[in-house]
Amino acid sequence: MLVKTSQEVLVQLVGLLAQLSPTQYAAPLGLLSKNSIGNHVRHIIEFWECQLKGIAAGVINYDARERNLMLETDPAFVRTILENLTYSIDKLEGDQEILLQVCYQHEAESSFVKTTVYRELAYNIEHTIHHLAIIKIAVLQMYPAVVLPPHFGVAHSTVRHRSAVAAQ
């Protein structure tokens, strides 16, 4: 279920990118504190990349992002990366223990936390949805011609809650 859900949130991004011009994708927006949609997408992708690289290495470190500026400016390139990520996620085999490397103090030593591949998939799903919600605000205000799926940027628990309330 986590693999499928991971892929679904990334596919939502593919649908968005198909509707944005490179200029719209890379434009700094006041609504996003002068960040672009591309900034947020790069951030999302690099968290997924860190997870996949970390699984292979035995330690996930989300601070070790490459910060590839091409991910902020080239939606066609990004669509290819997203397709590769969904393929790689599909190849994950089982829930294994892994370490998460974190550092919360300036110039402090890292700490290592035991986690699992599936726990980190769950984290990245929620992290992605959070950024999709921010992107959605910008898209609705700046690019009203873009069509987003109804649950774009909405937590799964919120979707379930709204459905339950509507059914009453």
Side-chain angles (χ1 to χ4, degrees):
M1 179 62 88
L2 289 170
V3 167
K4 180 182 176 202
T5 303
S6 298
Q7 293 170 319
E8 288 171 356
V9 296
L10 294 175
V11 167
Q12 286 184 12
L13 270 176
V14 173
L16 169 65
L17 296 178
Q19 299 179 70
L20 294 175
S21 71
T23 301
Q24 291 170 320
Y25 178 74
L29 303 172
L31 191 59
L32 298 179
S33 301
K34 304 277 188 222
N35 288 302
S36 67
I37 292 169
N39 293 133
H40 284 273
V41 173
R42 177 198 48 81
H43 183 77
I44 291 167
I45 287 171
E46 289 185 340
F47 266 64
W48 287 100
E49 289 177 335
C50 284
Q51 181 178 1
L52 292 170
K53 288 177 186 173
I55 291 168
V59 178
I60 297 171
N61 180 352
Y62 295 115
D63 294 336
R65 298 185 307 278
E66 292 180 20
R67 291 168 173 84
N68 180 348
L69 296 181
M70 198 167 160
L71 293 172
E72 296 182 14
T73 58
D74 188 345
F77 173 70
V78 171
R79 284 193 306 268
T80 300
I81 297 297
L82 288 168
E83 290 167 7
N84 291 338
L85 284 174
T86 57
Y87 176 80
S88 296
I89 291 167
D90 194 48
K91 298 300 176 199
L92 292 177
E93 295 181 7
D95 193 23
Q96 64 199 54
E97 283 194 3
I98 194 161
L99 291 175
L100 174 66
Q101 182 177 354
V102 296
C103 182
Y104 293 111
Q105 301 295 324
H106 181 67
E107 297 183 27
E109 289 185 31
S110 293
S111 298
F112 293 86
V113 179
K114 289 182 184 178
T115 187
T116 69
V117 169
Y118 287 171
R119 170 63 190 100
E120 295 309 308
L121 280 177
Y123 169 76
N124 267 317
I125 290 166
E126 297 302 325
H127 178 255
T128 299
I129 291 170
H130 164 75
H131 281 277
L132 292 179
I134 294 168
I135 291 168
K136 181 178 184 175
I137 293 167
V139 167
L140 292 176
Q141 291 298 309
M142 303 302 296
Y143 310 120
V146 172
V147 178
L148 298 174
H151 303 307
F152 187 97
V154 181
H156 289 85
S157 61
T158 302
V159 172
R160 283 191 308 278
H161 173 73
R162 289 177 181 167
S163 294
V165 168
Q168 293 178 353

